[in-house]
Structures are given as structure tokens and as C-alpha cells.
Amino acid sequence: TARTHLQPLCDRFDTLDVREAYQRRLLSCPGVVGTRESAVEIPISIHKRKPTIPPIVDAWLQYLEHEWKTPGGEEIEDALAFNRVARQLALGFFYRWIWPNNQPDESWLETRAAWHKALRAYLPTSRENRDSPYLAAKACEDEPNRVPAQLLTAWRGWKAHKDKPTPPTEVVWLDGFAVFDAVAWSREQAEPSLIWYEHTAFGQAVAQVGGFTFADVGPEADSLLATMKTARTVVLSIDAHGTGKNLQLWRRQLVTAPPANGRIWEQLIGRTHRPGQKADRIDVTFNAHTELFRSAMLNARDDARYIGETMNTPQKLSFATFE
């Protein structure tokens, strides 16, 4: 929102608010539609939940933060990979390789780890056109004289092994605390509820421990949700069922791994906060027991505010009440 770049829009619409000027310009474009009206007037109440992190999980989270390695010893190459592993550990598990005959490919592991370590040192200081693993590898190929020697050496080692099939993975549980907490939360509710998951292994575990209905990915799960006439506690995927579903049978839900994206939250809450909902309030609880999960919600709220201010469309995270 640098005023030097967007000042012409502010001048054109006679406002000092950069986002208001951008919104008015955007909504004046042919084919662009925005609305101030919310489809449902039912209030939304959002609650934090903080399961107690057991020592083993806390120790591995600290190990990840300091060493940038998974509990299985895998090197983390960038912030996205770090985030992915941290979200798994926050729920008490991680993934590790399954090697045929229990014989690891040491060359594959060593060159991959060296490449990821070199990327971790290189990417934060790289130029704009080299700021991803793919672009860094491309730079090593196209401009070998313009990249650090350590990166080039690591790339040449990894290049010889990178096309080998990636071994399958298995789930390793450090502690089931988050699973048991999700089950406990559901049993605290006075009515059936929705439990949203990001990782299939976690969702399956919650459904199994709690004896809940598991809405997997695919047509059968879609049909199950569409034909259900009486609410019962359902464990379901954010990716598979967070858009396009009519879930007005429920009003209470737990988001076990909160997304950092405002659009995802808008769609997810919109499964229950929609026309046909008969409850007088929608309750959403999200796990906030790690800094990563708390930051995810803050980022999502910032994102929702940006969407609302630029598209003139009220976002559920922006008008919800945070308890």
C-alpha cells in the first residue's frame, strides 16, 4: 500500500485511504462485482482452545526450530516445509520414510539433505528471480558462475539422485494429546458437532478414538454429508469439504489446525453460516496451543480485513466475535 505507487488512485477518488481508492478502482472494472450485504445475519462466536502440550512434543518443536530438521533427521529446505512439519508436530505426529527391506538409500538421503541445507542458507538472500527451490536449481543450471559454490556443489550432488522414486511415508505418533483433546471437546458440547482436520491421519485417529463418523475424500463422503438428515458428530477434511457443502445441520465446530488464509476461513465458516441455518449463533473453536497456530489466525484475520477493504465484501472473520 505504498502511497508513492497508489497516490494517483487516491487523487482520482479524492481519498487518503489507499485501500478505499484501490477498492473503488477495482469495483469500477467491468465484470467485477462486490456486495456489502451478508447473506446471513446470525452472529458468529470464535473461541480459542489450548490443549496442554506434552514434554515430548514441546521438545521436538524446539528441535525443529533450532535445527531445522524433522524428528526423523530430514533437513528442512525452506519456510514452507518448516511450516508444514511444525503443523504436524503441533498435533503430535510427523511423517518418516518407509524404505524397502529397511535399507535406506544413503546417497539419496545425503545429497537431498545437503541440497536442502544449502537452499536454507541461500534462499533468504537470493534475488527475486531465484527465491524458490525450483528457481535456485534453474540458476545452478543456467548461471553456474553466479551462484554460491556451496549451492552449486549441493545441486550437482542432488541432481544425480533427484529423479529416483520418493519412498512412501508412514505416520509416527509422538503423543495423542491433540486427538484426545478433540474428542474431549466434542463430548463437552451439548449437541453433535463438526471436527475439521488438515491431515488425514489425524482425522482418522480422532474419528476412531471418538467413535465419530469420518467423512473421507471422494463421492461417498460427499453423498454422506448431502443425505444426512439428523446431525451426528462428523470428522471432515478442510480441503475436501470446506467449500461447496451445505452443513446447516450443525452450528458448533472445532478447527484442529487453523488455516492462515482468510478465504479458506470464509468458505469453511460459510458451510454452517449460510441460508437455512436455524441456530441463533454459530460457534467456531480453533486450536491455539502453539505460536504457529495463533499466528495462523492472526494472519487469516489480516487477510480477511484486506479482502473486505478491497472488495467491499464483509468477511466472517471480520464481523465475528472473538471470545
Side-chain angles (χ1 to χ4, degrees), residues 114-126:
W115 171 238
H116 285 179
K117 189 173 183 178
L119 281 173
R120 195 164 71 241
Y122 172 74
L123 290 178
T125 60
S126 61

Side-chain angles (χ1 to χ4, degrees), residues 1-10 15-23 302 305-307 309-310:
T1 58
R3 185 169 300 280
T4 52
H5 298 298
L6 298 181
Q7 186 62 45
L9 287 183
C10 294
T15 178
L16 297 178
D17 189 317
V18 176
R19 286 189 175 177
E20 179 188 352
Y22 175 78
Q23 173 202 116
D302 286 343
R305 185 169 64 251
Y306 166 78
I307 295 169
E309 291 177 354
T310 56

Side-chain angles (χ1 to χ4, degrees), residues 5 10 27 31-32 42 77 117 124 126 134 168 179 232 240 242 291:
H5 298 298
C10 294
L27 296 182
V32 177
I42 300 171
E77 71 271 29
K117 189 173 183 178
S126 61
Y134 168 78
V179 170
R232 58 181 183 266
E291 181 60 35

Side-chain angles (χ1 to χ4, degrees), residues 185-186 189-195 211-214 224-236 246-253 271-272 276-279 282:
W185 172 86
S186 179
Q189 310 310 306
E191 59 199 70
S193 54
L194 299 175
I195 301 176
F212 306 139
T213 298
F214 181 67
L224 170 70
L225 292 172
T227 58
M228 198 176 293
K229 301 300 182 183
T230 304
R232 58 181 183 266
T233 296
V234 179
V235 183
L236 66 175
N246 297 314
L247 304 177
Q248 302 96 318
L249 283 175
W250 296 267
R251 74 178 187 94
R252 298 178 186 271
Q253 52 212 295
R271 299 313 92 222
T272 54
Q277 176 58 256
K278 297 179 180 179
I282 297 298

